[in-house]
Amino acid sequence: MKRRNFLNRTGMVAGTLLAGPTFFSSIRRADPMSRIGLTTVVFRNKFSSTNPDLTSDELTLNDIPQYFSERFGIRNLEFWSEHFESREQAYLKDLKKSIQKNNCKLINIQADTPGKDISNPENGNSALAVQEIKEWIDVGKFLGSKMVRASFMHKSFEEGMKSMKLLIDYAKSQDMILLAENHFDLLSIPENHLELAQKMEGEGFGLLADFGNYPENIDRYEALKMIAPYTLLVSAKTHAYDNDYNHISFDFDKCVQIMEDGGFKGIYSLEQWENGPLNYDFEKIVDWMIEHVSANIG
């Protein structure tokens, strides 16, 4: 399926996040920061839920809109589900107020389902995962996001496709878009990721391309070329940095250039992940990623 046909059937929602080529061309010329987002994953060592040893300088989601906008000039927010303290209405209302007060926009929720897998047919596990992600779609809608990223697909591609279809139908009913990410799972095989994009019919679906989530036996650059035309959001992920805060794991700039050459006009959500001690200055990492994305999209 050609990219034009794919975009036509995704229903590309008009607005700050998803809009036509003229809109994206104008924001790129006007301000590269309008195409840059940031996920709370980068600061996972500052959240008690993802750093049990945290003793000071704690962040909460309510802090993020002001912190990201004032420190980095970033107003496109991406929240990791692990950083939500609750899904109760009162908590979400306060969080929504914080987003609006700081003139920010939630672009996506990275919805993880620990212990549940939408591709695992055993003992109703996939059904539990589907229900969990539906609840995150509801949260995303309330907070003003248009997209929620589903996970995981480790077991059966066929079962995962069935679950995706159920979730897409639900997302459509909520005027939302479901994203499928290469997440060190079956979708990190680019042929599977591409097949999923081409087989899902109707509105409410797109790919999330993650620069970092490929095993060593996959050529990340060729994989990104394959999926770029179907991508609605990029996780502009980096891995390891040297002592001078230069990224050393792969050619990050080349990844951005591949997406641009492939017709991607959406948002690059900055992310960093590396197993091991969290002893980086993560603000320096974000500064590096902003500089390198900006240099390659303008």
Side-chain angles (χ1 to χ4, degrees), residues 62-73:
N62 275 295
D63 301 323
I64 290 299
Q66 181 176 359
Y67 176 41
F68 282 10
S69 59
E70 292 186 358
R71 170 57 181 84
F72 304 109

Side-chain angles (χ1 to χ4, degrees), residues 175-210:
D175 192 27
M176 296 281 288
I177 291 174
L178 185 78
L179 298 177
E181 176 186 4
N182 53 306
H183 206 191
F184 277 115
D185 58 6
L186 293 173
L187 297 184
S188 289
I189 301 169
E191 290 80 7
N192 287 347
H193 214 182
L194 183 63
E195 181 180 350
L196 187 67
Q198 293 175 332
K199 285 190 174 180
M200 292 297 103
E201 298 180 355
E203 302 172 5
F205 179 76
L207 300 187
L208 188 155
D210 189 303

Side-chain angles (χ1 to χ4, degrees), residues 24-251:
F24 279 120
S25 298
S26 64
I27 65 171
R28 181 166 62 173
R29 286 194 301 268
D31 178 13
M33 296 303 291
S34 61
R35 292 190 61 200
I36 294 176
L38 181 58
T39 171
T40 57
V41 169
V42 176
F43 295 96
R44 58 199 177 276
N45 64 325
K46 296 291 187 181
F47 285 83
S48 59
S49 60
T50 48
N51 182 12
D53 298 324
L54 181 66
T55 58
S56 62
D57 299 325
E58 181 179 359
L59 281 174
T60 69
L61 286 186
N62 275 295
D63 301 323
I64 290 299
Q66 181 176 359
Y67 176 41
F68 282 10
S69 59
E70 292 186 358
R71 170 57 181 84
F72 304 109
I74 291 177
R75 299 184 184 278
N76 297 311
L77 314 177
E78 188 175 30
F79 290 165
W80 186 16
S81 60
E82 293 295 304
H83 291 152
F84 280 77
E85 298 172 28
S86 170
R87 286 185 293 206
E88 295 295 326
Q89 196 74 0
Y91 172 80
L92 295 177
K93 283 182 178 179
D94 286 343
L95 185 53
K96 187 173 185 177
K97 287 178 183 177
S98 177
I99 294 169
Q100 294 173 339
K101 177 182 177 181
N102 290 279
N103 298 313
C104 292
K105 181 176 182 62
L106 183 62
I107 58 171
N108 182 44
I109 294 176
Q110 297 166 288
D112 284 0
T113 55
K116 309 179 190 76
D117 184 327
I118 63 171
S119 70
N120 183 3
E122 297 179 4
N123 301 317
N125 190 271
S126 59
L128 293 173
V130 166
Q131 181 57 39
E132 179 84 2
I133 295 168
K134 283 182 178 180
E135 292 175 13
W136 283 116
I137 289 172
D138 293 340
V139 170
K141 180 179 177 64
F142 180 81
L143 293 177
S145 178
K146 281 294 182 183
M147 300 190 288
V148 168
R149 182 270 282 151
S151 63
F152 300 90
M153 283 183 64
H154 290 289
K155 298 294 184 178
S156 163
F157 187 65
E158 181 180 359
E159 181 73 10
M161 292 270 281
K162 292 178 182 177
S163 296
M164 282 287 181
K165 186 64 173 66
L166 292 173
L167 287 167
I168 291 166
D169 288 344
Y170 186 74
K172 283 170 55 180
S173 74
Q174 300 301 309
D175 192 27
M176 296 281 288
I177 291 174
L178 185 78
L179 298 177
E181 176 186 4
N182 53 306
H183 206 191
F184 277 115
D185 58 6
L186 293 173
L187 297 184
S188 289
I189 301 169
E191 290 80 7
N192 287 347
H193 214 182
L194 183 63
E195 181 180 350
L196 187 67
Q198 293 175 332
K199 285 190 174 180
M200 292 297 103
E201 298 180 355
E203 302 172 5
F205 179 76
L207 300 187
L208 188 155
D210 189 303
F211 291 169
N213 287 0
Y214 290 108
E216 291 183 0
N217 65 323
I218 298 292
D219 185 328
R220 83 180 67 247
Y221 309 113
E222 291 303 313
L224 291 171
K225 288 178 184 177
M226 290 175 63
I227 65 173
Y230 303 92
T231 297
L232 297 186
L233 182 67
V234 167
S235 182
K237 182 180 286 177
T238 56
H239 286 319
Y241 286 78
D242 65 18
N243 291 334
D244 295 319
Y245 284 89
N246 295 304
H247 184 242
I248 57 177
S249 294
F250 54 85
D251 191 336

